[in-house]
Amino acid sequence: MTLLKEPDFGTPAQPGPATVSVEIDGMPVTVPEGTSVMRAAAQAGVDIPKLCATDSLDAFGSCRLCVVEIDGRRGTPASCTTPCSEGMSVRTQTPKVEKLRQGVMELYISDHPLDCLTCPANGDCELQDMAGVVGLRQVRYGYEGANHLDAEKDTSNPYFDFDPSKCIACSRCVRACGEVQGTFALTIEGRGFDSKVSPGAGESFMDSECVSCGACVQACPTSTLQERSVVELGMPTRSVVTTCAYCGVGCSFKAELRGDELVRMVPHKDGGANEGHSCVKGRFAFGYASHPDRQLKPMVRERITDPWREVDWDEAIGTVARRMRELQGAYGPGAIGAITSSRCTNEEVYVVQKMVRAAFGNNNVDTCARVCHSPTGYGLKQTFGESAGTQDFRSVAEADVIVVIGANPTDGHPVFASRMKKRLREGAQLIVVDPRRIDLVRSPHIEAAHHLQLRPSTNVAVVNAMAHVVVTEGLVDKDFVDRRCEGYDEWAEFVARPENSPEATEEITGVPAADLRAATRLYATARNGAIYYGLGVTEHSQGSTMVMGMANLAMACGNIGRDGVGINPLRGQNNVQGSCDMGSFPHELPGYRHVSDDAVRTVFEKLWGGTLLAEPGLRIPNMFDAAIDGTFRGLFVHGEDIAQSDPNLGHVTAALEAMDLVVVQDLFLNETAKFAHVFLPGASFLEKDGTFTNAERRINRVRAVMKPKTGKHEWQIVTEIATAMGHPMAYDHPSQIMDEIASVTPTFTGVSFELLDKLGSVQWPCNEEAPEGTPVMHVEEFVRGKGRFVVTSYVPTRERSTRRFPLVLTTGRILSQYNVGAQTRRTGNVAWHPEDLLELHPHDAEERGIGDGDLVTLSSRVGTTTLHAQISDRMPPGVVYTTFHHPVTGANVVTTENSDWATNCPEYKVTAVQVAHAPARTVVG
């Protein structure tokens, strides 16, 4: 494949029908009202020279290279800032404009290094291109006068350099930072000849508020902002469109290569989820795929105390199959199982759960989604009838009030956060419900109307109090409720009770009643109110209850079934939604259909050949308990590091040590691999062919940039294990696996690689009724028919502060790192977050004599770890916060086994702890 060059129309597209007819160099073109002359010309096939203009940014009109002549108008207006009007006749190539353009370009070149042949951007420089386009042959001005050629280069960022000697002060980087990213870290300092781009207040890029999303690098028309990888490896020569393997946003990228070496990842303008934007992880943190820590050969050992022995694939696969069969024979068919991964493709997850059900002969399959978003599936299924979010990401552009509950989008889902911030700058109002003062509460150009700083574990009490206000103050959308819902009367009677009032719940939640009432009125009276939530909702003992509570609130206010509204989970990993869709839970086959359904089971039995069990299998915590009890003996762990990510790590490691066979398939010898008997090397996303499904139900193609470094595809390894165990599974290509998925999964009926290659992506359901997918769910009616109101009683968590453990720990993520850090810790991202820190309120720190940067112990009733303190007032007194990206910290050593009542999702967000000075780093589980 050649290098994909996406067309640039100069200015953004305007909404609406094409109703304005103009003539560009004698060629007629009809465009929507408000379309710029530049864009109209591009649509007519006429490229007008430009430097400050690009269609991802609003028109600016500073470079003066795009001047044109318009019949009946004086002068030579800039085509980027001139809107088309009916009957307009434009001339883009007259002698007058050609002379003006050459003069403008001559001035640019007179203050620019003449090193094109050695410049890393040679062949990919718009200044170079435009000099040729305008026909510049000579520069009459020398370098004798003042210039910027000796300006000092900024090399502080680990991924790109800033060379101001090549800057033309077009402001594209500044505008991209503001308009696209929404960070406003860059500015133009000075005036006239002294104008220059400045990060922050004259700081370096690394010291400024820059979040390294790459928007400025992508917008730069010269090599002023240049990726180091391009400088080191040279300009790429071909590209492959694929999907990021980090968070649940699911950004599309052009992987650009030089030969077989990946040079850079460039966000794809046609990506449905990101539309040309990116974050520091997806844009730059891909180096882990070629990191020397990667294990590329299979390994086996008899005992976990033995050294590893490298073997070939046949021996490794044969060992897994043989030992799994032996455990089945000795302890029964239910003695083995598997855990699927939300980092793997739909096709890989599908074959793992198929292997468990058809070859292992049980339903002992679970997924890492169990420990993050399983309450989403349960709660939305109960209320709406479908286990997924309701909107596409674009929908936020129509929201008037946005409620963010238990999520930190700027860190966890930054590309979506940029969309949200843009809408907030346009006038939408924001309500943040979070114990911690996240950046969205107040940051450049945005500020939340309300921050409901609740106590950890009291989400349900807050949402019930909000519902109380809606019902008792007459804010219910009665027409919507009467037409489309059931169970309202019982629910309304429940939430209207005095004990659910903001005044009554204030003592529980810590949220002032007046603030809660004002926030609720804002949401309930908005034309469009949207709720976005994250793990701060689901990772609680009442996670499922809270999801249903939010669904109740949205239905009561009529905020379902159109753009700008909905209940929208922000999924943590790239394929959390897909791993659930594929049947990774022990009680559900693909498509969320229960294993006890005889008709559904018959479909799979006929396709797979064999009898499937009608009883649900073991969940992850049940597997661990059974392993310690001696009844569960063998586990296949596909792409998950459960010995770092799961709660109460002491219990997890005890279970792993008790098993006779632990098989780990991953990129690196992770914490779980310390307890493994067989290690199967995995493939990075750059080596995969398949699909991911993001948080908005968007199915995106993942295309292989290179062949698997291990010599085998992950889906291929799984099918060979199943075959060796006596259940033949054979596919020639992952497209065949998707075809099988589509044949048995109603929401995927119309999905195929061919369709995805044609459309770019689709959002399920994709079937005969919706052949190109479903951006917004529940439009005319809910999937279950009528939306169901569910009574959501608040039940306090069992995890309580005590004299011994007086503080409450809650956890989260940080922008530069991802999940357990296995990938991002092996990239330049460690420059921003070299270790996990414990955020401690000044009052709590003073009580304990702890200073900023002190080494402290963090202890709970199940374990102790050590980390450095960071004094911060982001949390209220009594609450501490940390991330879990570094295994040396082992944050989950202290989290408990408390879990959601319906799904066993762990209560990571509420752990009673004590903090004290530490003599040295310790991790005790």
Side-chain angles (χ1 to χ4, degrees):
M1 181 182 288
T2 58
L3 195 65
L4 176 62
K5 289 284 189 180
E6 296 161 293
D8 190 333
F9 292 91
T11 61
Q14 297 299 309
T19 57
V20 178
S21 296
V22 299
E23 195 174 84
I24 312 284
D25 291 343
M27 289 178 285
V29 60
T30 303
V31 295
E33 185 177 355
T35 300
S36 71
V37 168
M38 177 179 284
R39 188 176 183 95
Q43 290 180 211
V46 177
D47 290 327
I48 298 175
K50 61 184 184 296
L51 280 173
C52 73
T54 180
D55 58 14
S56 63
L57 304 172
D58 292 337
F60 195 59
S62 72
C63 75
R64 308 307 297 170
L65 202 63
C66 70
V67 293
V68 294
E69 290 194 87
I70 300 173
D71 290 353
R73 293 196 187 185
R74 297 175 59 187
T76 52
S79 61
C80 65
T81 56
T82 303
C84 293
S85 59
E86 181 63 32
M88 177 183 283
S89 179
V90 180
R91 290 174 293 144
T92 72
Q93 300 294 333
T94 68
K96 182 177 182 179
V97 299
E98 288 178 359
K99 185 176 181 180
L100 286 170
R101 290 171 184 164
Q102 287 180 356
V104 169
M105 181 56 68
E106 191 175 4
L107 290 171
Y108 278 123
I109 298 300
S110 71
D111 189 21
H112 197 82
L114 299 179
D115 60 351
C116 289
L117 293 180
T118 58
C119 177
N122 186 25
D124 189 39
C125 173
E126 293 179 44
L127 185 68
Q128 184 183 53
D129 294 342
M130 291 303 106
V133 167
V134 304
L136 184 66
R137 296 293 178 262
Q138 63 177 351
V139 178
R140 292 168 291 171
Y141 316 111
Y143 289 145
E144 292 79 13
N147 59 58
H148 301 93
L149 300 182
D150 295 328
E152 186 178 351
K153 184 183 290 188
D154 180 352
T155 59
S156 62
N157 189 283
Y159 294 119
F160 60 83
D161 295 335
F162 172 58
D163 185 353
S165 72
K166 298 181 178 181
C167 181
I168 61 174
C170 65
S171 291
R172 274 168 57 168
C173 61
V174 176
R175 291 182 287 138
C177 188
E179 294 177 26
V180 179
Q181 168 57 28
T183 297
F184 296 90
L186 304 180
T187 186
I188 295 289
E189 180 183 289
R191 296 177 65 83
F193 182 79
D194 294 326
S195 298
K196 63 178 183 180
V197 172
S198 175
E203 303 162 297
S204 69
F205 267 85
M206 197 62 182
D207 292 334
S208 73
E209 293 181 342
C210 169
V211 294
S212 297
C213 67
C216 60
V217 180
Q218 183 151 349
C220 182
T222 69
S223 64
T224 305
L225 286 157
Q226 185 68 72
E227 299 98 330
R228 295 234 184 116
S229 56
V230 172
V231 177
E232 295 167 1
L233 302 173
M235 287 302 302
T237 56
R238 66 185 182 93
S239 56
V240 178
V241 177
T242 190
T243 303
C244 179
Y246 280 118
C247 78
V249 174
C251 296
S252 297
F253 279 88
K254 295 180 296 180
E256 296 191 345
L257 302 98
R258 186 177 182 88
D260 291 329
E261 194 159 22
L262 181 60
V263 176
R264 64 185 178 189
M265 297 288 285
V266 178
H268 190 31
K269 286 169 65 174
D270 288 338
N274 60 317
E275 297 182 304
H277 191 35
S278 60
C279 81
V280 61
K281 295 189 287 292
R283 182 73 159 87
F284 297 116
F286 53 83
Y288 70 88
S290 55
H291 196 278
D293 283 355
R294 273 194 68 179
Q295 177 62 39
L296 302 178
K297 299 284 187 182
M299 299 188 297
V300 301
R301 58 186 177 183
E302 285 299 314
R303 292 174 297 274
I304 62 174
T305 53
D306 293 342
W308 285 108
R309 178 171 61 89
E310 286 191 358
V311 297
D312 60 25
W313 276 111
D314 286 343
E315 182 175 346
I317 289 168
T319 299
V320 174
R322 172 178 55 80
R323 294 186 66 178
M324 285 291 187
R325 286 198 307 267
E326 289 173 354
L327 292 175
Q328 283 179 312
Y331 300 100
I336 58 176
I339 298 174
T340 71
S341 173
S342 294
R343 290 188 286 140
C344 296
T345 66
N346 287 317
E347 294 73 17
E348 290 163 347
V349 172
Y350 177 85
V351 296
V352 171
Q353 63 85 33
K354 179 178 177 180
M355 173 183 72
V356 171
R357 292 187 160 105
F360 287 12
N362 59 53
N363 286 314
N364 294 338
V365 60
D366 208 351
T367 176
C368 63
R370 165 78 56 210
V371 301
C372 63
H373 264 285
S374 49
T376 287
Y378 181 88
L380 295 183
K381 184 83 168 181
Q382 296 300 310
T383 50
F384 297 164
E386 191 57 89
S387 302
T390 60
Q391 316 293 121
D392 61 356
F393 288 144
R394 290 189 185 100
S395 171
V396 76
E398 301 298 323
D400 299 297
V401 173
I402 300 167
V403 185
V404 175
I405 306 180
N408 188 3
T410 54
D411 278 11
H413 303 85
V415 172
F416 172 72
S418 293
R419 282 186 188 269
M420 181 186 293
K421 288 190 291 184
K422 181 177 181 181
R423 180 58 185 149
L424 294 172
R425 294 194 302 274
E426 292 169 346
Q429 300 269 45
L430 174 66
I431 300 166
V432 173
V433 185
D434 200 292
R436 189 167 175 260
R437 192 182 69 246
I438 60 174
D439 287 345
L440 280 177
V441 173
R442 188 176 186 185
S443 54
H445 295 262
I446 62 168
E447 184 171 6
H450 299 279
H451 177 203
L452 307 185
Q453 197 169 24
L454 76 169
R455 295 191 180 104
S457 83
T458 62
N459 290 342
V460 173
V462 167
V463 81
N464 284 346
M466 295 178 75
H468 177 94
V469 174
V470 170
V471 170
T472 60
E473 294 190 7
L475 302 178
V476 174
D477 186 336
K478 288 291 292 180
D479 178 64
F480 182 92
V481 169
D482 291 344
R483 285 187 300 108
R484 300 195 49 185
C485 304
E486 63 185 14
Y488 171 78
D489 290 341
E490 181 185 358
W491 172 80
E493 185 277 327
F494 161 73
V495 296
R497 293 173 188 169
E499 60 264 31
N500 288 320
S501 72
E503 290 73 21
T505 58
E506 180 175 338
E507 187 175 346
I508 297 169
T509 66
V511 177
D515 291 351
L516 190 143
R517 284 188 180 275
T520 304
R521 291 166 188 150
L522 183 64
Y523 169 76
T525 58
R527 179 179 62 94
N528 289 327
I531 296 175
Y532 293 87
Y533 70 94
L535 304 184
V537 161
T538 55
E539 291 179 345
H540 282 91
S541 59
Q542 281 201 288
S544 294
T545 308
M546 181 60 180
V547 173
M548 292 186 289
M550 294 185 301
N552 291 338
L553 186 65
M555 287 188 292
C557 297
N559 281 326
I560 294 291
R562 62 184 184 277
D563 279 332
V565 298
I567 299 293
N568 307 285
L570 296 175
R571 304 284 194 170
Q573 298 190 67
N574 53 303
N575 202 34
V576 169
Q577 185 65 60
S579 67
C580 299
D581 298 341
M582 294 298 102
S584 289
F585 290 123
H587 65 291
E588 287 176 336
L589 288 157
Y592 304 99
R593 290 163 297 166
H594 205 277
V595 294
S596 64
D597 188 316
D598 293 342
V600 171
R601 229 174 36 258
T602 298
V603 170
F604 285 92
E605 289 175 340
K606 183 177 180 181
L607 178 66
W608 294 347
T611 302
L612 302 182
L613 293 183
E615 297 80 28
L618 299 177
R619 295 173 173 178
I620 291 173
N622 304 135
M623 293 181 192
F624 295 157
D625 291 342
I628 291 172
D629 290 343
T631 57
F632 187 80
R633 313 295 295 198
L635 180 64
F636 180 91
V637 185
H638 187 222
E640 278 303 309
D641 192 2
I642 56 176
Q644 187 182 345
S645 63
D646 280 40
N648 191 357
L649 291 184
H651 185 71
V652 175
T653 55
L656 291 171
E657 286 177 327
M659 295 185 208
D660 298 300
L661 177 63
V662 174
V663 181
V664 169
Q665 184 166 328
D666 215 309
L667 300 178
F668 307 105
L669 285 169
N670 56 24
E671 298 301 300
T672 307
K674 294 177 180 178
F675 305 92
H677 304 86
V678 180
F679 184 86
L680 305 175
S684 75
F685 81 107
L686 297 171
E687 302 151 45
K688 292 177 185 281
D689 203 342
T691 57
F692 293 149
T693 307
N694 75 350
E696 52 172 355
R697 296 171 284 104
R698 185 181 301 278
I699 306 165
N700 267 318
R701 281 281 277 116
V702 184
R703 296 179 179 87
V705 172
M706 56 190 73
K707 294 180 180 179
K709 294 178 181 293
T710 64
K712 278 191 185 289
H713 298 288
E714 291 194 16
W715 58 266
Q716 184 182 5
I717 297 164
V718 174
T719 60
E720 290 180 7
I721 292 172
T723 300
M725 291 187 69
H727 185 86
M729 286 169 59
Y731 306 96
D732 297 321
H733 191 268
S735 62
Q736 297 173 345
I737 304 175
M738 177 52 73
D739 290 342
E740 182 174 317
I741 294 167
S743 73
V744 291
T745 311
T747 50
F748 278 67
T749 300
V751 179
S752 67
F753 279 26
E754 182 182 5
L755 180 73
L756 296 175
D757 290 341
K758 175 185 174 184
L759 299 180
S761 62
V762 297
Q763 292 172 262
W764 66 257
C766 178
N767 46 35
E768 290 183 1
E769 292 78 24
E772 295 190 358
T774 310
V776 177
M777 296 274 282
H778 318 296
V779 174
E780 298 297 333
E781 65 175 5
F782 289 90
V783 170
R784 70 181 303 278
K786 288 200 169 187
R788 176 180 171 228
F789 282 93
V790 178
V791 170
T792 53
S793 300
Y794 167 65
V795 178
T797 176
R798 292 186 302 165
E799 186 70 5
R800 307 288 180 85
S801 298
T802 63
R803 290 181 64 184
R804 185 181 177 193
F805 301 111
L807 304 174
V808 174
L809 169 71
T810 189
T811 61
R813 299 180 179 184
I814 201 163
L815 171 63
S816 63
Q817 296 297 321
Y818 171 72
N819 205 26
V820 296
Q823 294 142 281
T824 44
R825 282 187 284 105
R826 292 176 169 90
T827 71
N829 281 28
V830 293
W832 289 281
H833 189 73
E835 62 175 325
D836 294 319
L837 300 172
L838 182 72
E839 290 188 20
L840 193 69
H841 190 276
H843 172 78
D844 297 322
E846 184 178 3
E847 263 196 348
R848 291 160 177 78
I850 293 171
D852 198 58
D854 287 357
L855 192 66
V856 299
T857 57
L858 177 69
S859 304
S860 74
R861 60 182 176 81
V862 298
T864 298
T865 187
T866 309
L867 63 172
H868 287 99
Q870 182 177 55
I871 310 305
S872 168
D873 64 356
R874 282 177 175 253
M875 301 79 53
V879 179
V880 295
Y881 170 88
T882 190
T883 50
F884 51 90
H885 304 303
H886 292 264
V888 67
T889 304
N892 283 323
V893 164
V894 302
T895 53
T896 70
E897 291 181 282
N898 292 338
S899 64
D900 174 50
W901 63 272
T903 66
N904 277 139
C905 182
E907 193 170 43
Y908 289 119
K909 304 305 182 190
V910 188
T911 305
V913 296
Q914 178 60 289
V915 178
H917 272 289
R921 187 179 291 279
T922 57
V923 177
V924 181

